């Protein structure tokens, strides 16, 4: 079912959805870290909770806003429209990205408060080194390729489950832990926890994610050809990421 929603309504959906995603990611990380001293066990719990929560949020909000929950997904949707495919206009992309960033910060603060921690502080967990940035490029490129690939072969309804599964695995196989979401990365700077990232590490991670988005789009074009506008008119490309987030391009988001 597709809901034809106004842009303000879709923006609220993106804000709430991204906030929910950060509550799941950070909250499960705090809980896992408190229950187990084994980092591997904590990561298993965090990755599973993040993937399940992401899949549920996409399923719930996809028909409303597309459930991007991730500026990378929104920007690739905007680019697809500019190159003749379906996606968001420039104003919509700006509103989505702003809502996602605000939601991510709000979700991080809420998660901290929910576990009795003093909200409003910054993470002290520095994530530096070229190998971590390579990991973020790989993580983000893979996310974009999964979304774009399924959309271009006509199987967009698989995207929510596929994105959730990809994020669960990428948390393990990438050196960076697969943030793959600029808004989520900013939000996680507001949590000094297992899943946090120090503010000084933000520029490198966000830059790597943007590079990864370009790589993912390039691979999708090489493998599947350029995106084309469907016979029924523009459709908003759905996705989100990162422990990070996902998409379902079969959902229209017409304001």
């Amino acid at each position: 079912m597709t809901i034809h929603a106004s842009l303000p309504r879709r923006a609220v959906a993106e804000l709430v959805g991204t906030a929910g995603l950060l509550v799941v990611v950070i909250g499960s990380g705090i809980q896992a870290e408190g229950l187990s001293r084994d980092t591997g066990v904590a990561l298993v719990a965090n990755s599973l909770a993040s993937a399940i929560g992401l899949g549920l949020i996409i399923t719930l909000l996809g028909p409303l806003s597309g459930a991007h929950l991730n500026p990378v997904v929104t920007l690739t949707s905007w680019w697809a429209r500019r190159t003749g495919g379906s996606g968001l206009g420039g104003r919509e992309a700006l509103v989505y990205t702003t809502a996602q960033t605000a939601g991510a910060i709000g979700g991080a603060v809420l998660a901290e408060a929910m576990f009795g921690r003093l909200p409003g502080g910054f993470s002290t967990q520095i994530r530096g080194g070229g190998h971590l940035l390579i990991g973020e490029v790989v993580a983000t490129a893979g996310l974009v390729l999964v979304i774009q690939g399924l959309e271009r072969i006509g199987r967009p309804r698989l995207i929510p489950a596929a994105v959730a599964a990809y994020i669960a695995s990428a948390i393990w196989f990438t050196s960076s832990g697969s943030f793959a979401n600029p808004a989520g990365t900013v939000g996680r700077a507001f949590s000094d926890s297992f899943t946090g990232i120090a503010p000084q590490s933000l520029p490198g991670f966000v830059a790597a994610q943007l590079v990864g988005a370009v790589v993912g789009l390039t691979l999708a074009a090489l493998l599947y050809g350029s995106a084309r506008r469907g016979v029924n008119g523009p459709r908003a490309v759905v996705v989100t990421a990162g422990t990070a987030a996902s998409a379902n391009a079969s959902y229209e988001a017409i304001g």
Side-chain angles (χ1 to χ4, degrees):
M1 176 180 178
T2 297
I3 300 173
H4 299 275
S6 65
L7 180 56
R9 192 175 177 187
R10 284 183 277 149
V12 171
E14 287 295 306
L15 186 149
V16 172
T18 310
L21 177 61
L22 268 290
V23 168
V24 171
V25 171
I26 294 175
S28 63
I30 294 173
Q31 186 80 292
E33 190 176 32
L35 293 175
S36 176
R37 295 182 180 179
D38 188 317
T39 303
V41 172
L43 190 58
V44 168
N46 178 241
S47 60
L48 287 177
S50 298
I52 293 170
L54 175 59
L56 290 173
I57 293 170
I58 297 170
T59 301
L60 179 64
L61 298 179
L64 183 59
S65 70
H68 291 202
L69 317 182
N70 186 338
V72 161
V73 173
T74 296
L75 290 174
T76 55
S77 174
W78 168 78
W79 181 253
R81 180 165 178 170
R82 283 181 58 86
T83 54
S86 302
L88 298 180
R91 176 170 172 266
E92 292 174 305
L94 178 60
V95 171
Y96 267 48
T97 300
T98 301
Q100 291 155 2
T101 304
I105 295 172
V109 171
L110 176 58
E112 290 283 298
M114 185 169 63
F115 281 90
R117 298 156 65 97
L118 184 63
F122 291 108
S123 174
T124 57
Q125 187 169 174
I126 297 175
R127 298 178 186 265
H131 65 293
L132 297 184
L133 301 184
I134 292 172
E136 273 302 280
V137 171
V138 171
T140 310
L143 175 64
V144 171
L145 182 58
V146 167
I147 295 164
Q148 291 289 319
L150 288 173
E151 166 63 12
R152 296 182 193 201
I153 64 174
R155 308 188 74 178
R157 293 193 179 278
L158 295 179
I159 292 175
V163 167
Y166 174 79
I167 290 301
S169 62
I171 289 173
W172 282 89
F173 76 71
T174 61
S175 58
S176 64
S178 185
F179 283 46
N181 183 336
T185 304
V186 171
R188 287 163 73 164
F190 288 81
S191 174
D192 193 14
S193 65
F194 178 70
T195 57
I197 178 172
Q200 55 264 47
S201 300
L202 290 179
F205 264 60
V206 172
Q209 291 156 3
L210 295 177
V211 171
V214 173
V215 173
L217 280 173
T218 302
L219 288 174
L222 288 173
L223 293 170
Y224 304 106
S226 299
R228 289 290 180 266
R229 194 179 302 276
V231 295
N232 295 322
R235 293 181 301 172
V237 177
V238 185
V239 185
T240 162
T243 331
S246 67
N248 188 331
S250 65
Y251 299 133
E252 292 180 310
I254 301 176

